Amino acid sequence: MHAESTASPAAGLSRRSMLAGAAAVAGTAATLSASASSEARAAEARPAGTATAPAAADRITEQPDRTGGHARATVFKNVRPYGAKRPVDLTVVDGVITADPAPRGAKVVDGKGRIALPTLVDAHIHPDKTAWGEPWVTRNPASTIAEYTEEDVKLYHALRTPLEKRAERLMGHAVAQGTRAMRAHVDVAPAYDLVGVEGVGSARRALRHALDVEIVAFPQHGVVRTPGTEELLEEAARTGAIDRVGGIDPIGFDKALDEQLDIVFGIADRHGVGVDIHLHERAATGLESLRAIIDRTRALSLQGKVTVSHVFCVPGLPERELDRLAADLADAGISLTTVAPSSDLVLPIDRLREHGVTVGLGSDGVRDSWSPFGNADMLHRAHLLAWVRDARLDEELEAAFRSGADGGARLLGLPEADLKPGSPADFLLVRGECLPQVVVDLPRREMVVRGGRIVARDGELVGR
């Protein structure tokens, strides 16, 4: 989660000030949608917030599959990939888009000219902490990681809905908004034992038809400073319940750089899991931790299995120093994630990618003890990324979307859903004019398709 690693007022923006920008953006998005409603647009290009319930003739319609149960085939006809001017038909056989003719009797879904876009990947989210769908939570003041973790424990005991149900509710909502995969960071500490890992694991199983989920055992309370955490991380990895083991601010929070990283990387090496470390540390402190992570990744030949999240020490680096660091990260196969918290803390994604560094985009916390904000909507997160980067040109808005779609897919090792033959049939349908306008106006997700199957309509899961 986002917070300062120390209580020093000189450390930079607080959690509250970081989130203030996000709140302003959400309000701006609503204003944009409202103002857009006064413009005359064609029915198929009506942006979010302006459309009334579609007439029967304008609704997306389906005809049943009559292939006799052989190949699972669907033709999504009359759709516009990435906002193309002319509609096309997307033929899907056994979950993959094909250029071949559809089998006789294939199911037909008429998209009525909607835009088809790849579904997105949430590269960093905390579904175990969420109060999404619960009664309103009044939050207490907090400014350090230690104080926030105390609030986490209080909220965990205060919420009446079991963790697995809360997580499944939020993860299902993410699917309905167009998320096809996520990396879920789950708190592991003596205060919870492995309840979070078990609960999010249960939600993953319940949603496996619609969502790929990687689970990270995240030591939010520290690896070294909280006795018993190391043993829980080891158990989670040994039992195969997790895909990655986490860490957090080795110097600023745990105050044990070598000890923490030796524990985390040792668990990863012994049990064949990946690593994803939260690094909020700034300036020289953060760079020292990051260099130590690079060294251990190389020493243990864990290239391609290590991610560093947030990485607040990277934004603002001088160009030459950034280039050297990016080259080292790419050589070590280390990926990064950002949640686009503010203009001065978002990663320099374009520059990093020029050097071959994979960068994913994530939601972070959603309506938890750290913040009342968040919605697990990755299209909205792409909107926030464009906002904090002051995007203005169409190509800049499109790049923000691709960070949420393609960047996250690469980070999780998934094939990119580019809507071309051979691509997984993972896409969503929305009304709109073009991709840049969709990123700005955030229209309703009218349909979400996973592997050629319709998994959500109008914000609700279907076909479970």
Side-chain angles (χ1 to χ4, degrees):
M1 305 295 291
H2 283 311
E4 301 308 311
S5 297
T6 71
S8 169
L13 292 176
S14 67
R15 172 68 167 167
R16 182 173 296 176
S17 61
M18 283 191 273
L19 286 159
V25 174
T28 303
T31 302
L32 287 170
S33 293
S35 63
S37 66
S38 63
E39 300 177 9
R41 297 179 185 264
E44 71 273 16
R46 191 178 291 116
T50 68
T52 57
D58 193 38
R59 294 185 187 128
I60 298 174
T61 56
E62 297 176 55
Q63 296 174 11
D65 184 340
R66 296 187 177 88
T67 57
H70 300 295
R72 181 165 58 87
T74 305
V75 178
F76 294 88
K77 73 173 190 176
N78 196 22
V79 299
R80 296 185 293 127
Y82 294 101
K85 295 297 183 184
R86 294 184 178 180
V88 299
D89 295 349
L90 294 179
T91 300
V92 180
V93 176
D94 290 336
V96 177
I97 295 174
T98 178
D100 297 333
R104 179 177 297 179
K107 180 178 180 179
V108 176
V109 178
D110 188 352
K112 301 292 178 70
R114 305 310 196 261
I115 292 179
L117 296 173
T119 42
L120 299 103
V121 175
D122 194 328
H124 187 106
I125 186 171
H126 294 262
D128 61 316
K129 295 177 183 284
T130 191
W132 180 269
E134 298 295 293
W136 180 254
V137 173
T138 298
R139 291 156 184 85
N140 299 316
S143 59
T144 66
I145 291 179
E147 290 173 347
Y148 280 114
T149 58
E150 290 177 7
E151 295 303 313
D152 283 340
V153 175
K154 292 176 186 176
L155 182 60
Y156 170 76
H157 289 295
L159 294 174
R160 291 290 160 252
T161 303
L163 185 151
E164 64 269 22
K165 296 300 182 185
R166 290 186 284 109
E168 183 181 338
R169 178 197 294 156
L170 180 67
M171 292 157 67
H173 168 75
V175 169
Q177 300 309 307
T179 292
R180 68 173 173 131
M182 63 174 54
R183 181 174 289 172
H185 293 260
V186 180
D187 280 13
V188 169
Y192 315 110
D193 199 72
L194 295 177
V195 170
V197 169
E198 294 162 359
V200 174
S202 173
R204 171 167 65 178
R205 290 188 294 274
L207 295 167
R208 61 185 177 274
H209 68 291
L211 184 68
D212 283 336
V213 181
E214 281 190 0
I215 297 178
V216 183
F218 174 47
Q220 177 76 81
H221 295 196
V223 177
V224 176
R225 65 183 281 154
T226 305
T229 300
E230 177 184 351
E231 292 76 11
L232 289 171
L233 295 174
E234 185 87 41
E235 181 182 351
R238 178 182 55 77
T239 59
I242 62 170
D243 304 284
R244 290 178 179 256
V245 61
I248 182 170
D249 295 349
I251 299 173
F253 185 56
D254 238 357
K255 304 189 185 306
L257 173 64
D258 291 330
E259 187 176 359
Q260 181 192 127
L261 294 184
D262 286 348
I263 290 170
V264 170
F265 277 84
I267 292 171
D269 187 45
R270 283 191 296 278
H271 300 290
V273 298
V275 173
D276 194 325
I277 295 178
H278 283 55
L279 192 63
H280 313 96
E281 297 166 348
R282 310 286 183 89
T285 300
L287 290 174
E288 182 180 355
S289 292
L290 189 54
R291 286 291 178 189
I293 292 168
I294 293 171
D295 291 343
R296 282 167 174 78
T297 301
R298 286 172 169 161
L300 294 172
S301 298
L302 290 175
Q303 289 88 341
K305 297 187 69 175
V306 176
T307 300
V308 187
S309 297
H310 307 312
V311 214
F312 291 161
C313 59
V314 170
L317 282 177
E319 189 172 291
R320 199 170 287 179
E321 187 174 358
L322 174 60
D323 287 343
R324 285 196 299 268
L325 178 63
D328 288 341
L329 289 167
D331 179 68
I334 294 175
S335 56
L336 308 179
T337 62
T338 184
V339 299
S342 63
S343 59
D344 62 331
L345 292 177
V346 67
L347 290 173
I349 297 173
D350 298 336
R351 194 78 177 189
L352 290 164
R353 285 183 176 165
E354 287 175 9
H355 288 275
V357 180
T358 296
V359 182
L361 180 66
S363 292
D364 205 13
V366 179
R367 204 163 295 185
D368 53 22
S369 67
W370 294 63
S371 169
F373 295 100
N375 57 13
D377 180 346
M378 283 302 297
L379 183 57
H380 181 246
R381 186 59 53 168
H383 173 110
L384 292 177
L385 175 63
W387 177 274
V388 301
R389 297 181 70 190
D390 197 24
R392 177 173 170 272
L393 304 179
D394 282 2
E395 53 264 35
E396 294 169 337
L397 294 164
E398 291 174 2
F401 177 85
R402 292 183 184 277
S403 291
D406 303 341
R410 286 191 290 269
L411 189 130
L412 267 68
L414 300 172
E416 292 182 17
D418 59 9
L419 307 183
K420 296 178 181 178
S423 163
D426 298 341
F427 57 89
L428 54 90
L429 296 182
V430 294
R431 294 170 181 249
E433 296 178 65
C434 57
L435 175 54
Q437 177 257 324
V438 168
V439 172
V440 170
D441 283 336
L442 302 174
R444 179 181 62 183
R445 285 7 81 83
E446 296 193 29
M447 180 178 288
V448 180
V449 176
R450 181 69 203 275
R453 296 181 186 273
I454 298 169
V455 294
R457 283 180 173 274
D458 298 321
E460 300 292 335
L461 295 179
V462 298
R464 297 181 63 178

